[in-house]
Amino acid sequence: MDISVVIPLLNEQESLNELYDWIATVMQSNSFSYEIIFIDDGSTDNSWKTILNLSKKDSSVKGIRFLKNFGKSQALHAGFNVAQAEVVITMDADLQDNPEEIPELYDMITKEGFDLVSGWKKKRYDSVLAKNLPSKLFNAAARSTSGVKLNDFNCGLKAYKNIVVKNIDVHGEMHRYIPVLAKNAGFGKIGEKVVLHQARKYGKTKFGMSRFVNGFLDLVTIWFVSRFGKRPMHFFGLIGTLLFIIGFCFSLYLGIDKLFIETKGRLIAQRPEFYLALTSMILGTQFFLAGFLGEIILTSKRNKERYNIAEMVHL
């Protein structure tokens, strides 16, 4: 099979038939063998009924229905698990992604050798304040933090080698950072393609401003885990050591001052430097212990450490 199209959706009943017709036309005109996998993420309209009708009409249409709304990351994860084709394409179900981009994305994976190609909605048809401006700030922060030089991390239209989607774990709300997850898993050839973006035709967006707050928090998480997940002592131990040294220096100063300089007879506990020293040394010890315990936990799990195999021969 050439292409698996994975489409997560929530209450997109009105757009599904039109989207299916559009994808099928593109696939057939390019002689691709394909499957279309719809993941119904707890829709409350008739989206699932529409998917069932499409699957009866065309055996290439497959569907997964969640018991409730679990989120886009979980929907993508479920689709990735069952995708069978050489190249996996993800796109949104709201008709804002153009299926006619699929042949070029497929060629970039199969002919140019990219592991992952992310779409870039260079010209957007969204609200400037609600989506465009926050999206630019978010993408700039993601680029500088992750080291992955993409202009649009959150574009739903992406293409992957099958081996990529089988070796990344998309959970929580990490669908925004799939290129970063792929890079951390060892897939370094990541490309970008300018894609057409279209105004929403039916319904309204399912994402509010809160997604940008959550996105930045997830960015901090993935940055920390990717940088210090296997070496927590490098982060906690360094901070703990610096704080302890600062506290020790204050304590040393107080001791020398009390013994050789101070003549007013004040108690050390009456001086603000004492509390700075005490707080710094306690916090430093706690940070150091956090890093030490993290290293012990990781060491106990070394034999279960995951790794990704690119190829094997004569095994």
Side-chain angles (χ1 to χ4, degrees):
M1 189 181 295
D2 296 319
I3 297 175
S4 294
V5 184
V6 176
I7 306 173
L9 62 105
L10 175 64
N11 295 332
E12 297 288 358
Q13 173 198 353
E14 294 172 305
S15 64
L16 291 181
N17 283 305
E18 188 173 338
L19 178 61
Y20 161 76
D21 290 337
W22 200 355
I23 294 173
T25 299
V26 170
M27 295 297 186
Q28 291 162 14
S29 64
N30 287 273
S31 301
F32 289 133
S33 57
Y34 67 97
E35 62 180 356
I36 304 173
I37 306 169
F38 291 105
I39 302 95
D40 183 352
D41 186 21
S43 295
T44 55
D45 62 1
N46 287 321
S47 293
W48 182 246
K49 184 177 179 180
T50 303
I51 294 169
L52 289 177
N53 290 335
L54 288 172
S55 67
K56 291 175 183 176
K57 181 172 70 173
D58 184 351
S59 61
S60 66
V61 174
K62 302 173 183 179
I64 299 171
R65 184 186 187 190
F66 286 173
L67 287 172
K68 66 172 187 175
N69 177 235
F70 285 97
K72 187 174 182 179
S73 292
Q74 286 69 23
L76 286 172
H77 184 79
F80 290 163
N81 278 342
V82 300
Q84 302 177 44
E86 175 187 9
V87 174
V88 178
I89 304 285
T90 59
M91 61 191 308
D92 295 333
D94 54 12
L95 296 174
Q96 290 191 277
D97 294 331
N98 192 329
E100 292 180 27
E101 304 283 356
I102 290 175
E104 288 188 48
L105 290 170
Y106 177 80
D107 286 344
M108 290 180 74
I109 296 292
T110 58
K111 296 180 180 178
E112 298 180 40
F114 285 101
D115 297 315
L116 183 156
V117 179
S118 182
W120 174 16
K121 299 173 183 175
K122 197 170 184 178
K123 184 178 181 181
R124 299 179 64 105
Y125 293 92
D126 294 319
S127 166
V128 174
L129 292 178
K131 282 194 173 184
N132 285 9
L133 183 59
S135 182
K136 289 182 184 297
L137 295 173
F138 166 79
N139 285 314
R143 278 194 301 275
S144 61
T145 304
S146 68
V148 178
K149 303 304 179 183
L150 294 178
N151 290 285
D152 190 355
F153 281 80
N154 203 31
C155 179
L157 187 57
K158 290 182 172 69
Y160 313 79
K161 286 182 179 177
N162 187 282
I163 191 175
V164 175
V165 302
K166 300 301 184 184
N167 283 289
I168 57 175
D169 183 15
V170 189
H171 60 275
E173 294 189 23
M174 293 298 181
H175 59 273
R176 303 178 182 92
Y177 303 109
I178 289 180
V180 183
L181 296 175
K183 178 191 173 187
N184 292 342
F187 301 102
K189 194 166 184 182
I190 298 173
E192 189 169 48
K193 180 187 182 301
V194 176
V195 297
L196 293 175
H197 183 236
Q198 298 164 141
R200 174 178 272 274
K201 192 171 183 179
Y202 305 106
K204 59 183 180 179
T205 181
K206 310 303 185 298
F207 300 98
M209 287 296 292
S210 62
R211 71 174 182 151
F212 293 104
V213 176
N214 295 335
F216 279 112
L217 294 177
D218 289 336
L219 180 60
V220 173
T221 300
I222 201 168
W223 169 80
F224 181 84
V225 171
S226 63
R227 188 164 183 181
F228 300 106
K230 293 186 178 181
R231 46 185 183 178
M233 196 61 165
H234 287 202
F235 178 79
F236 293 104
L238 177 61
I239 294 177
T241 301
L242 289 175
L243 286 172
F244 191 87
I245 290 173
I246 290 170
F248 180 79
C249 289
F250 271 115
S251 299
L252 187 63
Y253 161 75
L254 287 170
I256 293 173
D257 186 60
K258 181 66 177 177
L259 290 173
F260 302 107
I261 302 174
E262 177 69 49
T263 58
K264 297 178 182 179
R266 285 189 301 171
L267 296 174
I268 289 180
Q270 293 177 327
R271 302 180 61 173
E273 294 93 335
F274 169 77
Y275 296 99
L276 288 173
L278 185 63
T279 302
S280 295
M281 293 180 75
I282 291 174
L283 287 176
T285 302
Q286 290 179 330
F287 270 98
F288 190 88
L289 287 175
F292 185 68
L293 291 173
E295 290 288 343
I296 291 175
I297 292 170
L298 284 176
T299 301
S300 68
K301 294 184 177 180
R302 295 291 184 193
N303 59 335
K304 297 181 180 178
E305 188 170 358
R306 296 177 61 183
Y307 51 86
N308 303 324
I309 297 173
E311 291 183 73
M312 292 190 295
V313 63
H314 297 317
L315 186 65

